[in-house]
């Protein structure tokens, strides 16, 4: 999971992004995530939450690999790189995950080991269970404050709605 610390005394607003790394809609959502990060900086803690879908057979492994990337300090760059390769991931499988780690200068051998030993499975399972419990059914889905916004059907207007909620929460 991402970890953002704030230099101010006010705690940042948390935006949970329920994502699946083989999902083309999640790839499209990266533009919104980048824009939100640029607008709010440390005032908005954007956290990746895993929701691998059964229809994408490499999504569960990709979620575990993302956790390894966060552990190695490069979570979001890795997430963005994998989402940019959704077609290759579908065709070539876990090799893409390990190769992408190497391209980013991460310890690719450690990625391979993490995928074999399953050290991040519990995090992925817990995220998925929590997502199901709060009604996540597709990706991307955003949770900010007490509101859940489903981007799996349409992402039109979602960034504006997230900004509206974030502005309200930050003003409190």
């Amino acid at each position: 999971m991402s970890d953002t610390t704030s230099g101010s005394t006010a705690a940042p607003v948390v935006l949970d992004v329920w994502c699946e790394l083989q999902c083309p809609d999640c790839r499209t959502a990266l533009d919104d995530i980048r824009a939100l990060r640029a607008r709010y900086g440390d005032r908005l803690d954007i956290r990746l939450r895993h929701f691998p879908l059964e229809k994408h057979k490499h999504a569960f492994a990709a979620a575990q690999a993302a956790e390894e990337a966060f552990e190695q300090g490069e979570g979001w760059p890795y997430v963005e790189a994998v989402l940019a390769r959704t077609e290759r991931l579908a065709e070539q499988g876990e090799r893409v995950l390990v190769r992408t780690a190497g391209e980013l200068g991460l310890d690719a051998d450690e990625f391979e080991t993490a995928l074999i030993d399953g050290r991040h499975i519990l995090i992925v399972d817990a995220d998925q269970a929590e997502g199901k419990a709060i009604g996540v059914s597709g990706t991307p889905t955003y949770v900010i404050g007490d509101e859940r916004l489903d981007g799996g059907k349409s992402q039109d207007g979602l960034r504006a709605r997230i900004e509206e909620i974030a502005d309200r929460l930050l003003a409190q």
Side-chain angles (χ1 to χ4, degrees):
M1 297 194 156
S2 71
D3 184 23
T4 303
T5 56
S6 176
S8 68
T9 56
V13 169
V14 173
L15 172 64
D16 282 335
V17 181
W18 299 88
C19 182
E20 196 245 55
L21 298 185
Q22 205 175 331
C23 172
D25 290 332
C26 289
R27 178 178 52 208
T28 303
L30 281 176
D31 289 337
D32 287 339
I33 291 170
R34 287 183 197 110
L36 290 165
R37 196 176 283 128
R39 176 173 176 176
Y40 293 102
D42 287 348
R43 297 179 306 143
L44 185 66
D45 182 7
I46 301 173
R47 301 188 313 184
L48 177 70
R49 303 300 300 272
H50 303 288
F51 202 77
L53 301 170
E54 287 183 20
K55 68 182 179 180
H56 294 134
K57 73 179 199 174
H58 304 295
F60 194 81
Q64 293 176 73
E67 282 302 313
E68 182 60 31
F70 278 108
E71 197 167 285
Q72 291 189 30
E74 293 294 327
W76 279 107
Y78 183 80
V79 166
E80 291 190 23
V82 171
L83 283 170
R85 295 163 172 82
T86 54
E87 292 87 5
R88 264 191 271 166
L89 179 58
E91 295 165 6
Q92 300 171 20
E94 294 179 16
R95 289 188 314 237
V96 172
L97 301 173
V98 175
R99 195 174 320 123
T100 301
E103 289 169 9
L104 293 175
L106 299 170
D107 185 341
D109 290 339
E110 199 59 34
F111 270 76
E112 238 175 319
T113 302
L115 290 171
I116 292 167
D117 70 19
R119 67 182 75 158
H120 302 296
I121 286 175
L122 292 177
I123 294 169
V124 176
D125 283 346
D127 275 3
Q128 193 164 36
E130 184 180 337
K132 286 178 182 175
I134 64 169
V136 174
S137 59
T139 59
T141 296
Y142 306 91
V143 176
I144 183 169
D146 58 358
E147 298 197 43
R148 179 173 41 87
L149 307 168
D150 183 0
K153 294 178 180 64
S154 171
Q155 295 179 56
D156 292 339
L158 276 184
R159 184 169 72 203
R161 183 71 184 121
I162 292 167
E163 289 172 345
E164 178 185 308
I165 296 166
D167 290 342
R168 183 182 76 233
L169 293 171
L170 288 166
Q172 294 178 353

